[in-house]
Amino acid sequence: MTLAVETETPLRLEGKYKAMAVCWVLGIGSLISWNSMLTIGDYYNNLFKKYHPTRALTLVYQPFALGTMAILAYNESKIDTRKRNITGYIIFFASTLALLLLDLATSGEGGLGPFLGVCVFVALFGVADAHVQGGIVGDLSFMYPEFMQSFFAGLAASGALTSGLRLLTKAAFEKSHDGLRKGVMLFLAICTSFEFVCILLYAFFFPKLPIVKYFRSKAASEGSKTVSADLAAAGIQTKAAQAEDEAKQYERLSNKQLFIQNFDYALDLFLIYVLTLSIFPGFLYENTGQHRLGEWYSLVLIASYNVWDLIARYIPLVKCVKLESRKGLMITILCRFLLVPAFYFTAKYGDQGWMIFLTSFLGLTNGYLTVCVMTVAPKGYKGPEQNALGNILVLFLLGGLFAGVALDWLWLIGKKDGF
């Protein structure tokens, strides 16, 4: 089959809802491994208490994610998207399986050696995240906005799913001998299986959907070189000479030009995640004190955040409540920083009900604003530019995550000083 596309999207192009469903599953797979680490924080807090694992592991994860993403974003136009994404999911699968095997091999013993082993696999999660999240976002940037929304809803769903599974496994094994560890083992086994499903879906099912083939063919006709392997997997061949002529015909903006034109969107994502990660998850695990819910309290807070983060990512589907104004997005995101003193005073003086409310609101605003920015920013650009812009935005998102994680340690310092 040779490459041939129309300028308008065909009215009857099959596979839109199947593609949305696959994007949702791929979104879950992009974060389920990392969210599993956040959700079993109670287990690692017991095992490696003196190392502050909920904060330390996040600080290990983010530099590897950010550093890898910076390299990939810089070389985005030369990287085969198919190989990039499949590599990422394979690393996720192998690292999650390795975590399970590490715990089995050490019989759930604590100590510096096992903790360093966990840190190595968490660093690999960061490398995998940069491969997958940047690759998928770049890929979906030149398709329907609903695909991007579904992917980001899947990212949030991974948090809600892991929280739900963790609560179930904790309840199921609560009264049995070594119940906490057994629940974690079952939990990690489920996450490992899910990553394997994502490899199969992306490699063999997603590329063959008609709607996906259309958009990738269109991107190739506009000069994109990153989609050739995905098109080949779908049975569509592009000739090198043809691709070169088309690349010259459709001169794309440079990464620098795209960044300058979209600096406010990049800053939006940076600020969203600086705030979120300065509170979630470290503050919620270690700075909220003792409450009636006991050891369930932190799990309830994490679940509240994840559920409302997921719900919020569907709100922009209702056009009348979707925020698209660049100025409106920036003002809303800056106002969100009022949550910092709100969390401080609630942790010090408030009831657990208020803390659950604030945590839910944190998740609600995080999910809603993320989808608004990521679906509005790529509009008006050609396929290769949208791919590049998607990678730039994810780079700043990860930069915000890293800065937020670093700032999260300030809560711990404040706690030692009498907070």
Side-chain angles (χ1 to χ4, degrees), residues 186-197:
L186 176 60
F187 182 77
L188 288 174
I190 293 170
C191 293
T192 302
S193 302
F194 200 94
E195 295 292 3
F196 185 70
V197 170

Side-chain angles (χ1 to χ4, degrees), residues 270-284:
F270 181 84
L271 293 176
I272 289 170
Y273 284 89
V274 161
L275 176 65
T276 299
L277 266 289
S278 67
I279 297 169
F280 176 90
F283 174 86
L284 300 181

